[in-house]
Amino acid sequence: MGLAVGIDLGTTNSVVAVATPTGVEFALGAAGERIHPSVVSYQPDGQVMVGLDAKHQRADFPTTTIYSAKRLIGQNVRAPLVQLALSGLPFAVEEGPNQQAVIALGERRVTIPEVSAQVLGHLKACAQRQLGQAVTDAVITVPANFTDAQRQATKEAGRLAGLDVMRLLNEPTAAALAYGFGQHKDEVVAVFDFGGGTFDVSLLAIKDEVFEVLATDGDFFLGGDDVDRAVAEFLAAEMNRLLRVDPRRDPGLMTRLSIAAEEIKIHLSEVTAAEGTIDGLLHRGRALSLPFRLTRPQLDELIRGYVDRTIELTRNVLTTARLPVSAITEVVCVGGSTRIPLVRRRLAELFGREPALRINPDEVVAQGAAIQAGSLSGTMFRGGGMSTRDAVPTAALSPLAHGDVPWAKAAEPARPILLDVTPATLRISTAGGYSEPILEKNLPTPIERTRVFTTAHDQQARVVIECGRGEARRFADNEPLGTLVLEGLPPRRRGEVRIEVTFRVDTDGILHVRARDADTGTMTEAQLTILGAPTRRAS
Amino acid sequence: MAWTPTQVLAWLDEVEPRADGRSHLEWLELPPTAAPGAAQGAYHAIARTRHPDLFRRALSERELDRLTRMYARVSNAYAALRSADADARPALVAPAKPASIDPTRAMNARALVLYRRAEGALRTGDRAAARLNIKMAIAADPASALLRGALAELDADD
């Protein structure tokens, strides 16, 4: 077996880390970058670029440079929110088998797990180069509110990249692990994870090495991308007003403005006003220049709605866990969007304290994943948690690669215990358009629950069980997961055939549904295939 | 401290045959007299000794699957007791000491009538009637956490 790494596979950026006998070490890219853009560029000559190199191709190859793939992974392409997200992307997305999103590159079709596998393969290569050893196993983090299809698709991406995915770990849980591992804490922390494309908030009780998620909530279509888009829309309106050119119909121009928007946003976290000119805006063969000025209060106004939503979800999660604000001993910020001053201010107002400062919001998730990877593979040492190695100089290899520091299995490996929860209610449809919850939101995982249902008609030989995810009583108001069909039931009067429906959520947060006729000796069993999931089951 | 694989396999052999008949308290290895709020400590103690993650390499895939399934039952029991604890344990499940919560304040009047009927049915051992009345009570007052806890207890005890 080779090394086990922890990977934070982000919407915008990814980070890879490994727990070593001397602490957690981050694997750098060719230019010395610790943070690897989650961008894959398919070049006309067939070459595939990944990471920082690929990000630089965005402006020149807007239709074949794929970013924010995480927003599409495991998604049902027909879902309204997905359609909305697609409207802002410069590359073409089509519907593939099982209602998956598939990217069209001319004649070629690439699935989203294939795109993510390119990113994972790049991270794996960086780690192998730096550590001088083969990387075979990984813990990959996912947003806490990721669905089953999204989890399955992420696992599939890992498999395609030649990695044994030991565990999918929820991002806020990973952050809490990095924060509290080896510290003998007795605390209740709030993890506020506002990343590039998703928002999660989790409350965790940390007692020694047990990390128990008390409640979690989130929104997987809310992140820094939305902030960038709000700023890009502002710039587009400015362009229309000042230059009489509407860039909103031109993917090339909008990509340029989005890139500028991200830079302006980051700049406004440091200073109170940004001013300048965006050059090289190609329109009808002419290169235009757009002057702009945006102040921090203006930015706050543009993004207030998004920030309000994160605070509202944070209040909800406190209510769910029945905890007063005063019970929270620390606020751990994760994700680049938590650097936005408005976000920090609103969090400080809510909790009456400043968020923990010693946490690096870009790296903490990968660090937690590395600790879990080390623990599961038995190479994590006690107390090896928070100390991260200094960045290694670009060209140099890790001392581990030279054999200066021996790799060894810990005699008594550290074993943090992570107790996570179900992110949403899982239910089935019942008569009259209603639904019945089988597993509610925020239950501890792994969990299994069986409910017994009966037939609705005499001589019914077949039942159709529709599964959904969400909090609405009316079935149609929930997100459809798929349909399970149970056939060959014995001919009986209605209500006399008992059907057991079992929902099981495993340690990766993946749902398994089974239905069987409880009475006949010949047990009819059926297994659910979830819509939007890769057609090859990734479990 | 984590158990040895031998201890885990012995535990599986013990709990699997009557997995469907164990009460929540039994799953959490708590005595019937356990105080509300004891569930979390009990759950953590079980997690520390036999969470499936601890045996990723020490057990075969099949054994790990068995462990995960039984551990999932423990999680289920914890979830039920935790939500019941939050409502100070409903009287319906016959706690060792009198329930500190007043059902008349935990639901509306229509639901209370049905809840009393359920209690009566339970005293005569008619669990089906008890469940039916609790379900009707929930329909009358969907917001009552006490009723939902009671139903979860009934479902789990059967």
Side-chain angles (χ1 to χ4, degrees):
Chain A
M1 187 194 106
L3 286 179
V5 296
I7 294 175
D8 171 8
L9 181 61
T11 307
T12 321
N13 294 305
S14 295
V15 181
V16 55
V18 59
T20 76
T22 51
V24 171
E25 182 166 326
F26 293 91
L28 311 186
E33 72 276 18
R34 276 158 94 102
I35 293 170
H36 308 265
S38 305
V39 183
V40 179
S41 185
Y42 295 87
Q43 299 287 299
D45 61 3
Q47 197 196 343
V48 181
M49 290 183 182
V50 190
L52 201 56
D53 291 344
K55 190 179 181 180
H56 293 148
Q57 304 299 313
R58 255 183 83 179
D60 293 334
F61 298 98
T63 59
T64 60
T65 302
I66 316 303
Y67 61 94
S68 294
K70 189 173 176 180
R71 284 204 152 180
L72 300 173
I73 199 163
Q75 289 280 13
N76 183 339
V77 74
R78 294 184 197 172
L81 272 173
V82 176
Q83 286 296 324
L84 187 69
L86 292 181
S87 67
L89 296 177
F91 44 86
V93 178
E94 295 178 351
E95 180 174 328
N98 199 27
Q99 301 182 21
Q100 286 176 77
V102 172
I103 290 169
L105 302 166
E107 292 300 299
R108 196 171 158 198
R109 296 292 172 273
V110 183
T111 67
I112 308 296
E114 284 169 349
V115 175
S116 294
Q118 293 283 356
V119 177
L120 291 171
H122 176 70
L123 300 174
K124 179 180 163 183
C126 290
Q128 289 183 156
R129 182 176 53 210
Q130 181 164 319
L131 296 159
Q133 294 202 39
V135 168
T136 52
D137 296 55
V139 168
I140 302 177
T141 60
V142 292
N145 55 57
F146 245 25
T147 65
D148 314 278
Q150 290 171 310
R151 286 168 197 268
Q152 285 186 31
T154 304
K155 264 194 145 179
E156 173 71 2
R159 193 190 65 81
L160 292 172
L163 291 167
D164 177 4
V165 182
M166 296 189 293
R167 170 60 43 83
L168 297 178
L169 181 59
N170 288 335
E171 286 158 10
T173 311
L177 180 59
Y179 165 76
F181 175 67
Q183 312 262 310
H184 304 290
K185 288 185 185 294
D186 186 355
E187 291 192 18
V188 179
V189 301
V191 180
F192 185 92
D193 181 356
F194 196 11
T198 59
F199 172 73
D200 279 321
V201 56
S202 291
L203 302 179
L204 289 103
I206 305 177
K207 281 199 180 118
D208 272 332
E209 298 305 308
V210 177
F211 296 75
E212 182 188 2
V213 180
L214 300 173
T216 188
D217 211 332
D219 185 331
F220 58 71
F221 271 103
L222 180 61
D225 282 4
D226 295 298
V227 173
D228 295 351
R229 198 195 284 205
V231 176
E233 292 286 339
F234 164 83
L235 294 174
E238 285 290 281
M239 190 163 178
N240 201 17
R241 184 172 71 87
L242 296 171
L243 305 176
R244 303 269 165 233
V245 172
D246 186 358
R248 274 165 287 213
R249 294 173 192 287
D250 183 332
L253 280 181
M254 276 315 280
T255 303
R256 268 256 185 273
L257 293 182
S258 297
I259 294 168
E262 189 191 351
E263 284 171 20
I264 293 169
K265 169 190 77 176
I266 292 169
H267 197 53
L268 281 175
S269 290
E270 305 292 327
V271 299
T272 53
E275 207 165 350
T277 309
I278 304 166
D279 295 321
L281 294 165
L282 289 173
H283 179 69
R284 294 193 182 147
R286 286 189 305 142
L288 304 175
S289 292
L290 174 67
F292 69 88
R293 181 183 155 80
L294 188 65
T295 65
R296 194 184 282 172
Q298 275 178 297
L299 175 70
D300 290 354
E301 208 44 57
L302 289 174
I303 66 174
R304 185 171 304 282
Y306 299 121
V307 180
D308 283 349
R309 172 100 176 110
T310 65
I311 297 295
E312 179 197 323
L313 287 165
T314 306
R315 286 187 196 282
N316 285 354
V317 85
L318 284 161
T319 308
T320 306
R322 302 180 197 232
L323 287 174
V325 165
S326 59
I328 305 301
T329 52
E330 191 68 271
V331 181
V332 176
C333 279
V334 184
S337 302
T338 59
R339 290 209 173 84
I340 298 171
L342 178 66
V343 173
R344 295 245 161 190
R345 198 166 73 233
R346 296 292 302 278
L347 271 179
E349 279 166 19
L350 175 63
F351 287 104
R353 65 168 64 238
E354 294 292 327
L357 282 178
R358 65 195 177 89
I359 306 287
N360 182 328
D362 297 322
E363 295 174 351
V364 65
V365 169
Q367 195 180 333
I371 293 169
Q372 173 75 336
S375 165
L376 290 176
S377 65
T379 54
M380 188 70 212
F381 287 76
R382 275 176 198 286
M386 276 308 289
S387 62
T388 57
R389 293 174 50 80
D390 291 337
V392 212
T394 314
L397 292 175
S398 163
L400 295 156
H402 300 302
D404 295 347
V405 180
W407 279 95
K409 290 234 172 186
E412 235 182 76
R415 297 286 202 192
I417 308 278
L418 308 184
L419 307 174
D420 228 301
V421 296
T422 50
T425 300
L426 302 165
R427 51 182 70 236
I428 69 171
S429 67
T430 54
Y434 287 100
S435 68
E436 194 68 24
I438 306 283
L439 288 173
E440 294 87 10
K441 187 172 173 165
N442 286 314
L443 294 181
T445 56
I447 194 163
E448 177 172 308
R449 204 178 267 177
T450 300
R451 295 278 305 270
V452 178
F453 296 86
T454 60
T455 45
H457 309 288
D458 292 344
Q459 316 298 320
Q460 188 174 341
R462 181 172 187 265
V463 286
V464 177
I465 301 161
E466 288 180 275
C467 303
R469 177 188 200 266
E471 312 309 314
R473 266 205 80 201
R474 260 171 50 88
F475 184 78
D477 295 342
N478 295 288
E479 179 193 341
L481 288 177
T483 302
L484 202 60
V485 180
L486 198 56
E487 286 174 301
L489 298 175
R492 301 255 175 84
R493 293 181 49 198
R494 74 183 178 127
E496 285 185 357
V497 177
R498 296 191 311 138
I499 295 146
E500 276 182 11
V501 179
T502 301
F503 273 40
R504 179 162 63 93
V505 173
D506 65 19
T507 35
D508 287 324
I510 292 176
L511 171 68
H512 305 264
V513 182
R514 205 178 63 219
R516 66 170 203 178
D517 170 0
D519 299 314
T520 53
T522 55
M523 289 176 211
T524 321
E525 287 211 2
Q527 183 92 33
L528 180 76
T529 304
I530 290 164
L531 292 174
T535 33
R536 180 197 175 281
R537 241 187 119 81
S539 62
Chain B
M1 209 48 225
W3 276 4
T4 63
T6 318
Q7 282 174 300
V8 170
L9 292 173
W11 178 68
L12 291 176
D13 288 340
E14 181 202 328
V15 296
E16 278 172 344
R18 12 174 252 111
D20 292 334
R22 286 166 71 91
S23 72
H24 297 329
L25 289 172
E26 282 179 88
W27 276 116
L28 286 170
E29 301 172 356
L30 283 169
T33 51
Q40 189 185 45
Y43 185 57
H44 284 194
I46 292 172
R48 280 178 212 272
T49 51
R50 70 211 94 145
H51 190 284
D53 279 354
L54 296 169
F55 303 94
R56 225 190 102 80
R57 310 232 168 245
L59 293 179
S60 71
E61 204 167 311
R62 212 185 73 81
E63 289 164 341
L64 202 57
D65 193 55
R66 285 173 65 197
L67 173 60
T68 306
R69 278 168 182 274
M70 290 303 113
Y71 184 86
R73 301 293 194 100
V74 177
S75 298
N76 190 35
Y78 173 53
L81 286 180
R82 189 176 56 176
S83 73
D85 279 353
D87 302 326
R89 302 293 311 275
L92 194 65
V93 296
K97 53 183 178 179
S100 57
I101 192 165
D102 179 4
T104 58
R105 278 195 252 156
M107 64 192 81
N108 65 33
R110 169 83 189 127
L112 187 63
V113 171
L114 295 157
Y115 178 78
R116 293 297 186 209
R117 269 189 216 159
E119 280 187 317
L122 205 60
R123 274 194 291 273
T124 64
D126 188 349
R127 304 185 69 82
R131 176 179 290 107
L132 184 67
N133 278 294
I134 289 291
K135 281 191 172 167
M136 287 162 63
I138 290 173
D141 187 355
S144 169
L146 186 147
L147 288 171
R148 277 185 281 110
L151 184 64
E153 285 280 342
L154 267 176
D155 278 339
D157 288 348
D158 280 6

